[in-house]
């Protein structure tokens, strides 16, 4: 089968591998669509990864939909349902693989499971014709959810987690820092599935601001052209944003997030920070800001799929480009070199729906 394999830092290669075999409790999935994500780039170019396997080779990819091709020993039902798992079922796969037996898992805090694994980061992922996954991480796709949308369940689940952790109240003003892929999923969620009264997005790329306005975001600002804090205060009679969701991770973006948050407001940091960041924390302390970090998902997949099935969140409209598996290494290289390639989906097998 074809697969995109990481072979050491910065090297992604299209390779021909033998089909993986579903172990006990696992299924073999024939991939239909996958999504390319900033964390794939982080994995390829920045993480030398103490959790990489011994020879440094790893099949990449973690946002995926597909069709079940084979069941390993002991596989019976979808998690927490009576529904049997059958060969031929269309599924989305939650790439986060917690142990489900530690204290964090018992509390539903899967993201902080000390034995956490993850497709495409610490075990072979879905940029391949076939991949294996634990049956506990499968979600059957309803007829209303196409294969491409199924692959977008993961970034949407992350966006739901960001919005959950932001704990909005009805009528809040929310500012998103960064209108890239995850910022756009957060914006779509806030627009159609939240009590936010007003949504503001800070994004330097004009085409992304244009896309956000077309989605229905009324207020967009370029952080290069003006102070985001000033812009937000102008729109809020000097108060600042009740809630800010930061989706970039650079010092500049985090500083903008802090300065846009109103006193005693909440600032959620979701961008992956790189190294130590020089930050002015005056407003954080003197304004008594509540700041918290957020990463990936806890238990958001089934809700993400239900929201897509409801038709309220047109996630496939956020996809800017659909490429083939062969084009993945080049797309990753371009994105790494700073070329804006938007949200990219990978069509692995288009025989589906
Ligand atoms: Zn992702
Ligand atoms: Zn655990």
């Amino acid at each position: 089968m074809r697969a995109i394999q990481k072979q050491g830092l910065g090297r992604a290669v299209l390779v021909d591998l033998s089909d993986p075999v579903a172990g006990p409790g696992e299924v073999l999935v024939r991939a239909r669509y996958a999504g390319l994500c900033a964390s794939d780039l982080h994995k390829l170019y920045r993480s030398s990864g103490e959790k990489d396997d011994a020879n440094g080779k790893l099949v990449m990819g973690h946002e995926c939909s597909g069709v079940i091709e084979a069941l390993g020993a002991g596989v019976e039902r979808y998690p927490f349902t009576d529904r049997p798992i059958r060969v031929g079922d269309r599924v989305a796969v939650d790439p986060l693989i917690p142990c489900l037996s530690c204290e964090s898992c018992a509390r539903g805090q899967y993201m902080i499971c000390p034995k956490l694994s993850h497709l495409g980061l610490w075990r072979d992922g879905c940029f391949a014709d076939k991949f294996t996954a634990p049956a506990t991480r499968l979600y059957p796709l309803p007829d209303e959810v196409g294969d491409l949308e199924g692959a977008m369940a993961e970034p949407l689940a992350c966006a739901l987690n960001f919005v959950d952790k932001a704990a909005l109240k009805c009528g809040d003003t929310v500012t998103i820092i960064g209108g890239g892929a995850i910022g756009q999923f957060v914006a779509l969620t806030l627009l159609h599935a939240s009590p936010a009264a007003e949504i503001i997005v800070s994004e330097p790329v004009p085409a992304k601001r244009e896309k956000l306005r077309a989605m229905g975001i009324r207020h967009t600002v370029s952080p290069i052209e003006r102070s985001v804090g000033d812009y937000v205060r102008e729109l809020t009679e000097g108060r600042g944003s009740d809630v800010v969701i930061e989706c970039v991770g650079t010092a500049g973006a985090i500083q903008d997030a802090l300065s846009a948050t109103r006193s005693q407001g909440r600032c959620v940091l979701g961008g992956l920070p790189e190294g130590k960041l020089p930050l002015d924390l005056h407003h954080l302390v003197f304004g008594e800001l509540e700041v918290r970090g957020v990463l990936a998902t806890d238990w958001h997949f089934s809700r993400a799929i239900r929201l897509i099935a409801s038709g309220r969140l047109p996630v496939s409209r956020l996809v800017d480009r659909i490429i083939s598996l062969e084009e993945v290494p080049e797309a990753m290289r371009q994105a790494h070199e700073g070329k804006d390639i938007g949200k990219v989906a990978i069509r692995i097998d288009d025989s589906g729906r």
Side-chain angles (χ1 to χ4, degrees), residues 184-262:
Q184 289 172 22
F185 278 88
V186 170
L188 194 70
T189 304
L190 290 171
L191 274 168
H192 301 299
S194 89
E198 210 62 86
I199 304 164
I200 303 162
V201 184
S202 162
E203 164 56 45
V205 178
K208 288 185 190 166
R209 292 200 301 275
E210 192 63 46
K211 183 177 170 188
L212 285 154
R213 280 195 293 273
M215 280 165 61
I217 300 290
R218 288 200 296 156
H219 307 292
T220 61
V221 58
S222 163
I224 295 169
E225 283 160 29
R226 58 172 309 183
S227 151
V228 175
D230 288 353
Y231 178 82
V232 170
R233 273 186 293 279
E234 237 168 63
L235 288 174
T236 54
E237 287 149 348
R239 289 190 313 275
S241 196
D242 300 298
V243 171
V244 175
I245 301 177
E246 189 280 326
C247 305
V248 183
T250 59
I254 294 171
Q255 197 70 66
D256 284 347
L258 295 174
S259 69
T261 308
R262 73 160 162 81

Side-chain angles (χ1 to χ4, degrees), residues 35-40 62-63 95 118 154-155 158 182 343:
L36 186 58
C37 168
S39 39
D40 297 316
H62 64 273
E63 301 177 355
H118 199 289
E154 197 271 350
C158 293
I182 189 68
K343 181 65 184 173

Side-chain angles (χ1 to χ4, degrees), residues 6 21 53 78 108 141-142 144 146 152 172 227 242 276 284-285 289 300 307 333 341 346:
K6 177 184 173 184
V21 176
D53 71 357
Y78 288 98
L141 290 178
E144 299 84 7
M152 295 301 118
D172 273 353
S227 151
D242 300 298
K276 290 182 188 172
L284 189 159
V285 175
L289 306 195
H300 299 84
L307 276 167
R333 194 183 60 77
I341 59 170
I346 302 147

Side-chain angles (χ1 to χ4, degrees), residues 98-106 109-110 112-116:
C99 77
L100 300 179
S101 58
C102 72
E103 187 174 323
S104 300
C105 285
Q109 297 165 335
Y110 304 110
I112 56 172
C113 167
K115 293 184 199 150
L116 190 67

Side-chain angles (χ1 to χ4, degrees), residues 36-51:
L36 186 58
C37 168
S39 39
D40 297 316
L41 296 172
H42 195 270
K43 176 70 191 174
L44 179 60
Y45 290 99
R46 299 207 186 85
S47 148
S48 49
E50 78 265 29
K51 291 194 182 180

Side-chain angles (χ1 to χ4, degrees), residues 116-344:
L116 190 67
S117 183
H118 199 289
L119 284 185
L121 298 182
W122 306 320
R123 63 175 265 170
D124 280 345
C126 63
F127 290 171
D129 288 315
K130 297 176 188 183
F131 62 97
T132 61
T136 53
R137 308 313 281 160
L138 299 179
Y139 292 86
L141 290 178
D143 291 345
E144 299 84 7
V145 179
D147 295 327
L148 173 60
E149 293 172 302
M152 295 301 118
E154 197 271 350
L156 179 60
C158 293
L160 296 186
N161 188 25
F162 284 29
V163 173
D164 277 1
K165 300 271 161 71
L168 314 192
K169 295 193 180 73
C170 288
D172 273 353
T173 294
V174 186
T175 300
I176 301 170
I177 306 293
I182 189 68
Q184 289 172 22
F185 278 88
V186 170
L188 194 70
T189 304
L190 290 171
L191 274 168
H192 301 299
S194 89
E198 210 62 86
I199 304 164
I200 303 162
V201 184
S202 162
E203 164 56 45
V205 178
K208 288 185 190 166
R209 292 200 301 275
E210 192 63 46
K211 183 177 170 188
L212 285 154
R213 280 195 293 273
M215 280 165 61
I217 300 290
R218 288 200 296 156
H219 307 292
T220 61
V221 58
S222 163
I224 295 169
E225 283 160 29
R226 58 172 309 183
S227 151
V228 175
D230 288 353
Y231 178 82
V232 170
R233 273 186 293 279
E234 237 168 63
L235 288 174
T236 54
E237 287 149 348
R239 289 190 313 275
S241 196
D242 300 298
V243 171
V244 175
I245 301 177
E246 189 280 326
C247 305
V248 183
T250 59
I254 294 171
Q255 197 70 66
D256 284 347
L258 295 174
S259 69
T261 308
R262 73 160 162 81
S263 291
Q264 294 194 349
R266 191 172 304 106
C267 183
V268 174
L269 304 180
L272 300 179
E274 273 152 40
K276 290 182 188 172
L277 305 176
L279 291 168
D280 177 353
L281 300 181
H282 186 272
H283 177 51
L284 189 159
V285 175
F286 284 80
E288 292 198 320
L289 306 195
E290 196 182 309
V291 179
R292 74 165 296 171
V294 60
L295 184 65
T297 64
D298 276 333
W299 196 247
H300 299 84
F301 239 75
S302 44
R303 285 197 283 144
I305 290 170
R306 277 199 289 276
L307 276 167
I308 297 171
S310 76
R312 289 166 67 197
L313 300 192
V315 284
S316 53
R317 279 192 224 150
L318 298 185
V319 175
D320 297 297
R321 231 175 108 193
I322 296 180
I323 64 174
S324 68
L325 200 54
E326 286 78 4
E327 292 172 293
V328 170
E330 174 62 15
M332 292 184 87
R333 194 183 60 77
Q334 286 182 6
H336 176 62
E337 286 172 1
K339 187 155 178 265
D340 179 32
I341 59 170
K343 181 65 184 173
V344 172

